[in-house]
Amino acid sequence: MQNPWWHRAVVYQIYPRSFADADGDGMGDLRGISAHLDHLACLGVDVIWLSPVYPSPQDDNGYDISDYQDIDPVFGDLAGFDELLAGVHARGMKLIMDLVVNHSSDEHPWFAESRSSKDNPKRDWYWWRPARDGMEPGAPGAEPTNWGAAFGGPAWEYDPATGEYYLHLFSRKQPDLNWENPEVREAVYTMMNWWLDRGVDGFRMDVINYISKDTTLPDGPVRPGIAYGDGSASYMNGPRIHEFLHEMHERVFAGRPQELLTVGEMPGVTIDEAKLFTDPARGEVDMVFQFDHVWVDRGADPWQLYPLRLTDLKAILGRWQAGLADNGWNSLYWNNHDQPRVVSRFGDDSPQYRVRSAQMLGAVLHLHRGTPYVYQGEELGMTNAPFATIADFRDIEALGQYVQAVDQEGRSPEDVLTVLRARGRDNARTPMQWDASPHAGFTTGTPWLAVNPNHTQVNAEAAVKDPDSVYHFYRKLIALRHEEPAVVYGDFTMLLPHDERLYAFTRTHGDTTLLVIGNFTGETVRAEIDDAAAWEAAELLLTNAAAPEDLVLQPWQAVIYRRISR
Ligand code: TEU
């Protein structure tokens, strides 16, 4: 277990609904993915993570699963899945599935049984509770706790059939599974083993640090201006979380001969917790997705935009690098299907600097220690979308939060829209831009979410032809990780922690040291670092503009130097 293969790997996330539509219904599908595997093989990624493709009412775009062991007809069928898996393996890549087991769909047969009566054997597979003491079931405010749900409204839904409430931390169509019940855990492990036996190479585990809850379910604190309490202290990294993940590891992963990958998505995970989750000796998960750096520009008021402070971003990522330096492992990401596009968020998506700032952001991320994740379209420098009104959004989170903020909390629709435009998840979900044709080569039909009009400029066909594109720069970053051990194993040292303009660090492995500097501004900036002269004379491995003189970086330039000491 000294140096697992995934230390050297780069993962590419596909959001199937928005990747490629082979049958013209306006939604991506498995055959569409199969047709584009060479795009990924040429990029050089090692692993594909597939967001959910299971049967689902699609309330939360597939994160509400009604059958864990099949494929939604919208995406294809199991035969098409096996074909895709074979195509991935034939190209020397691996494929990991999304595991969504904090909750199921309310249309899953388990939940149908559970809600059918109080004495159904599966009643206890979900979190059922009576109304608050002394209150009329179903009356306003009678919910068992004051918690709000992630997508607006209360976290409890009243079910008149049995007069009780069920817990849903996300939408009312995503009831939380009760992991206290050993039958639930058993059913999940059986399902996971079924997929591994089919040949998949691991799992990305959705909000997996929410599965253990404080069973007393206390009320949470209420922030000013917010309609509901925050229950997260009762379910983020709950009391039995390490026990459950270790049990899962034993029952599913331990002793399998394949090279597998597990990554736990963990909003609110701390460095100390992550050390435990990713300590190989504990047998829990290989790595976690932490959220600190994507919450860097959030503040006290959820409906206000806070600008990026580069010093904060560096402090956060620097702490994670240091925290997992000796044991455990980081995952590295700017983007996924829940985050706005990074070039619009931390870079400059204007025509002048879009390509260069996207490349700089890629260089800074990929040169950290950890396993980088590329989200579809990031390798093209895809940008946020020009949403005009709330009617342009499709995401249940955007729509639900809009209603709560405007109708219940009295926010101005314009303020809420301003934040949704900048931060909304649909920014990541506009269709993949393959070419300059009317729907960007994504579909011959009507796309479920409008294609970004900039696809006439920003698309894969153009990027692959242009040696200076974001695509080819990402290809070089990925190749560099595969070739240079210092990228994988080098010790990380942050430089210039107080500088608001430059992100600079070194990576040292044996006698090799890499220097990485990214200019996070539209101005030329000189890097004031120790032994600048020596670095100036060192080998420039990669940059996205002319080689600097005197370490003066052009707007949004990134440089990666290498020195070998003898
Ligand atoms: O997301 C978990 C999560 O915490 C989200 O609430 C996310 O942080 C937020 O939407 C950002 O604005 C996972 C999935 O990635 C997401 O797509 C699902 O909607 C969610 O779980 C429920 O399954």
Side-chain angles (χ1 to χ4, degrees), residues 60 63 103 151 204 206-207 265 267 291 337-338 397 425:
D60 185 20
Y63 283 89
H103 43 268
F151 301 153
R204 173 272 187 187
D206 194 66
V207 285
E265 188 214 22
F291 279 64
H337 62 292
D338 295 333
E397 176 175 88
R425 308 195 295 182

Side-chain angles (χ1 to χ4, degrees), residues 13 33 102 110 228 373 461 476 489 520:
Q13 181 191 355
I33 300 172
N102 172 68
W110 296 343
Y228 300 96
Y373 287 71
E461 192 180 54
K476 289 175 195 164
Y489 304 111
F520 270 68

Side-chain angles (χ1 to χ4, degrees), residues 3-303:
N3 288 324
W5 65 275
W6 37 262
H7 280 182
R8 298 181 301 278
V10 177
V11 184
Y12 186 97
Q13 181 191 355
I14 290 181
Y15 194 65
R17 197 183 171 90
S18 303
F19 192 66
D21 173 20
D23 64 7
D25 67 355
M27 278 218 243
D29 45 44
L30 297 180
R31 277 205 292 131
I33 300 172
S34 286
H36 284 286
L37 288 180
D38 287 332
H39 174 82
L40 307 180
C42 293
L43 188 59
V45 297
D46 306 277
V47 182
I48 295 170
W49 148 28
L50 210 56
S51 277
V53 289
Y54 315 95
S56 161
Q58 302 288 329
D59 189 52
D60 185 20
N61 293 0
Y63 283 89
D64 48 317
I65 297 169
S66 52
D67 180 352
Y68 287 104
Q69 292 177 219
D70 205 346
I71 301 294
D72 195 293
V74 145
F75 296 123
D77 54 22
L78 280 169
F81 178 82
D82 291 340
E83 234 165 79
L84 170 61
L85 187 58
V88 170
H89 286 163
R91 287 165 180 81
M93 299 183 288
K94 294 175 185 288
L95 185 133
I96 67 172
M97 302 293 277
D98 218 305
L99 179 80
V100 189
V101 290
N102 172 68
H103 43 268
S104 72
S105 166
D106 67 335
E107 297 183 35
H108 194 292
W110 296 343
F111 188 73
E113 279 193 51
S114 184
R115 88 188 316 173
S116 66
S117 77
K118 282 189 188 174
D119 50 18
N120 184 278
K122 289 204 170 56
R123 182 64 167 183
D124 183 49
W125 281 40
Y126 294 85
W127 293 86
W128 290 98
R129 290 290 185 278
R132 194 177 279 273
D133 262 356
M135 294 201 65
E136 181 66 25
E143 289 83 13
T145 74
N146 66 352
W147 303 356
F151 301 153
W156 296 93
E157 180 73 5
Y158 179 60
D159 197 37
T162 54
E164 288 189 332
Y165 294 79
Y166 65 85
L167 176 68
H168 61 88
L169 296 180
F170 294 89
S171 96
R172 61 162 62 88
K173 289 186 67 62
Q174 293 168 298
D176 281 56
L177 281 159
N178 177 14
W179 277 69
E180 299 293 319
N181 185 324
E183 290 172 15
V184 168
R185 308 205 296 273
E186 207 52 47
V188 170
Y189 305 151
T190 302
M191 173 272 282
M192 293 173 74
N193 277 306
W194 184 85
W195 282 106
L196 292 180
D197 292 344
R198 206 171 186 98
V200 310
D201 302 292
F203 296 95
R204 173 272 187 187
M205 305 173 178
D206 194 66
V207 285
I208 202 69
N209 65 327
Y210 287 14
I211 60 176
S212 163
K213 280 124 177 134
D214 171 353
T215 55
T216 65
L217 303 178
D219 278 342
V222 185
R223 282 194 291 156
I226 307 292
Y228 300 96
D230 173 7
S232 59
S234 300
Y235 56 76
M236 275 180 179
N237 311 316
R240 298 180 70 187
I241 184 61
H242 294 287
E243 176 198 335
F244 291 162
L245 286 181
H246 180 65
E247 181 183 82
M248 175 191 285
H249 183 269
E250 292 300 298
R251 300 294 315 280
V252 179
F253 301 106
R256 280 190 178 262
Q258 301 114 291
E259 293 189 321
L260 302 174
L261 170 62
T262 58
V263 49
E265 188 214 22
M266 300 196 174
V269 69
T270 62
I271 294 174
D272 285 341
E273 286 289 337
K275 281 188 194 176
L276 301 177
F277 285 124
T278 67
D279 176 354
R282 294 174 56 90
E284 297 185 23
V285 291
D286 295 330
M287 59 188 99
V288 305
F289 290 132
Q290 57 85 16
F291 279 64
D292 291 348
H293 70 302
V294 292
W295 289 345
V296 63
D297 49 10
R298 295 214 309 201
D301 181 350
W303 298 113

